[in-house]
Amino acid sequence: MDLSGIRIIDAHIHQWDPFTTPRDFSRLATMLRLLPVPVEVAKRLAPRRDSEFVGDPVAYLRPYLPFDYRADAGNAPIEVVAHIEVQWSQPGPLGKAGETAWVAGLPLEAAPRLGAILAGGDPAQPGFPELLDAHAAASPLLRGIRAMVAHHPDPGVRSFTDTPGKLTTKAFLDGFAHLADRGLSFEAWVYSHAIPEVTALAERYPEVPIVLNHLGTPAGIFGAVGKHTGTHPGLRRQLLVRWRDDLSALAARPNVVAKVSGLMMPILGHPVPPRGTPTPVPQLLDRIGPLVEHALDVFGADRLIWGSNFPVDKPITSIAGSIETIATAITGHGGGKTELEQVFRTTAQRVYRIAD
């Protein structure tokens, strides 16, 4: 594994301040700041589906800003970051443009600099084209949109929409055309059973670049989550086989790239180590290595993008650990310096139009 000379782009980070900006989790964060309730007690009182998704709620209960990211990145040679929307809850049809304006105003002049913003928006909602224009007016770094469409059939796994199959609804498909009109990409974050919906979307809109987030988030693939997901090895094997087949079909669509990000999300079934103790890289490699290898086989390195998904992945790994795990999986599967450069820089640079 040789990353020397590669100026890494972290293509998937989240930033927030639950105390001064409107987030879906702002009320909880504010309440716990005012009440003397230990975090571990709050975690036990939270719904199980929320606890399993976040693993450790600490990051959601405090700001995560450029200074915090730089501290987590340490000595990793990260030159550029891409901000991905996260649960901005300002009301009104143009409310989500407030996050773009807020991110554009954060102090990111020093390395790593902000290279792209992937903003929030729902193509099914009235006023979607006006929202896109408001995002673009808020920052010239707007590159695409992410909608909250992740729904899981297991009621014990946290969903982020009440509408299953949202990508296939008429309202969503009609609104999606506005992305093509403006040359914007779409960040597709779904649970793995919905990967075929992303494939159908890519077929309908071949002119829109689609970025599959987190290789499709196969919840429960490493251990039990929810009421009945991944509860025994046979179910996990079925989940892996279906994920492989669906990812292969998606990779046949040339307008789709995939992020090798979010593979350390607790919802995949990772055991959560004690706070501040990242999972050793060899253990992570044993779990996620087969996923990365298959993605490399079907997409190729020139259609894969690394992102840390910090701070969401922080309960399981460090940024350095994430980089090492993905890089080792790539080189262990025949990748060399060219493939590392593509996954850790040039694919993101091309897709998000990030200047040198």
Side-chain angles (χ1 to χ4, degrees):
M1 183 191 74
D2 182 12
L3 291 171
S4 60
I6 298 178
R7 297 171 295 151
I8 294 175
I9 294 174
D10 188 342
H12 202 105
I13 78 164
H14 301 290
Q15 298 167 103
W16 56 60
D17 185 342
F19 306 128
T20 64
T21 62
R23 308 282 176 171
D24 289 347
F25 48 91
S26 289
R27 181 178 297 180
L28 176 62
T30 301
M31 180 183 70
L32 291 178
R33 184 170 69 166
L34 296 175
L35 298 176
V37 179
V39 170
E40 295 305 322
V41 173
K43 181 179 178 180
R44 289 195 296 269
L45 294 175
R48 178 183 167 189
R49 63 178 177 273
D50 292 342
S51 296
E52 286 186 338
F53 186 86
V54 304
D56 183 350
V58 166
Y60 296 85
L61 303 179
R62 59 183 62 160
Y64 195 79
L65 299 170
F67 174 84
D68 304 292
Y69 177 82
R70 290 187 187 112
D72 282 339
N75 294 323
I78 298 171
E79 182 183 68
V80 181
V81 297
H83 172 90
I84 312 297
E85 68 81 31
V86 55
Q87 296 182 278
W88 187 271
S89 59
Q90 184 175 336
L94 304 182
K96 287 190 177 296
E99 181 178 21
T100 299
W102 177 77
V103 170
L106 291 175
L108 270 167
E109 293 84 3
R113 63 181 171 86
L114 181 64
I117 296 174
L118 291 306
D122 184 350
Q125 290 297 311
F128 181 62
E130 291 78 14
L131 174 60
L132 295 180
D133 294 341
H135 279 305
S139 174
L141 295 178
L142 177 70
R143 296 293 183 264
I145 291 292
R146 187 170 81 155
M148 288 288 95
V149 298
H151 183 279
H152 201 282
D154 183 340
V157 174
R158 185 177 180 187
S159 291
F160 290 80
T161 178
D162 295 330
T163 307
K166 189 166 183 176
L167 292 179
T168 66
T169 63
K170 183 179 186 303
F172 189 96
L173 292 171
D174 289 347
F176 198 83
H178 295 293
L179 295 177
D181 295 342
R182 290 161 175 78
L184 296 172
S185 63
F186 180 66
E187 299 283 309
W189 179 45
V190 297
Y191 287 114
S192 59
H193 68 279
I195 291 175
E197 297 174 16
V198 182
T199 304
L201 184 65
E203 291 173 348
R204 174 153 177 173
Y205 286 101
E207 69 275 32
V208 176
I210 294 177
V211 182
L212 179 70
N213 286 188
H214 313 331
L215 291 187
T217 312
I221 201 165
F222 303 134
V225 297
K227 294 182 179 297
H228 50 69
T229 300
T231 50
H232 61 77
L235 287 177
R236 294 195 286 275
R237 176 63 184 171
Q238 292 175 19
L239 180 62
L240 175 63
V241 170
R242 179 178 175 182
W243 172 85
R244 285 174 57 90
D245 290 346
D246 290 344
L247 197 77
S248 297
L250 178 63
R253 307 310 307 173
N255 57 320
V256 179
V257 301
K259 280 183 177 174
V260 282
S261 60
L263 299 180
M264 289 75 155
M265 292 170 69
I267 195 60
L268 270 66
H270 290 285
V272 180
R275 187 175 301 139
T277 308
T279 305
V281 167
Q283 292 182 24
L284 290 176
L285 195 59
D286 285 344
R287 294 177 208 157
I288 75 167
L291 306 184
V292 177
E293 291 171 4
H294 182 64
L296 188 61
D297 287 340
V298 298
F299 277 99
D302 64 335
R303 293 169 62 204
L304 292 180
I305 297 173
W306 173 76
S308 70
N309 195 35
F310 253 58
V312 177
D313 283 17
K314 190 172 181 176
I316 305 300
T317 190
S318 63
I319 291 178
S322 174
I323 293 171
E324 182 180 352
T325 302
I326 299 299
T328 303
I330 291 168
T331 56
H333 198 58
K337 189 66 174 286
T338 297
E339 287 74 21
L340 291 174
E341 179 90 24
Q342 290 169 327
V343 174
F344 284 95
R345 182 173 178 85
T346 58
T347 307
Q349 191 172 29
R350 181 185 76 243
V351 172
Y352 293 146
R353 308 190 304 278
I354 296 173
D356 263 325

